């Protein structure tokens, strides 16, 4: 199960911390933040039923492709 905690996550990149061969370094610093909120009810988490559905779809598609190439 994948869980993400609600809150605000920040990141700061200092000036000249990033560089590429053709463009050089970044002249100014940059900062950003991401705010994560909790879902109102349930939702968002990947559980075993979701995984079984995905596996079933993949197996059904594989079976269909196998029949098509056998013709």
């Amino acid at each position: 199960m994948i869980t993400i905690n609600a809150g605000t996550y920040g990141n700061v990149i200092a000036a000249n911390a990033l560089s590429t061969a053709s463009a050089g370094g970044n002249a100014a610093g940059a900062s950003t933040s991401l705010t994560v909120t909790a879902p109102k009810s349930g939702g968002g988490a990947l559980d075993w039923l979701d995984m079984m559905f995905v596996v079933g779809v993949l197996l059904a598609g594989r079976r269909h492709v196998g029949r098509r190439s056998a013709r």
Side-chain angles (χ1 to χ4, degrees):
M1 178 184 280
I2 299 171
T3 58
I4 298 175
N5 295 326
T8 301
Y9 301 90
N11 192 9
V12 176
I13 300 173
N16 294 317
L18 304 174
S19 64
T20 61
S22 60
N26 57 321
S31 65
T32 187
S33 67
L34 171 68
T35 301
V36 178
T37 58
K40 294 182 179 168
S41 62
L46 186 65
D47 61 3
W48 69 273
L49 283 174
D50 297 327
M51 294 301 292
M52 293 301 290
F53 176 76
V54 170
V55 168
V57 169
L58 291 174
L59 289 174
R62 185 173 180 204
R63 182 177 178 200
H64 182 70
V65 171
R67 286 185 179 178
R68 177 181 278 174
S69 63
R71 290 183 182 178

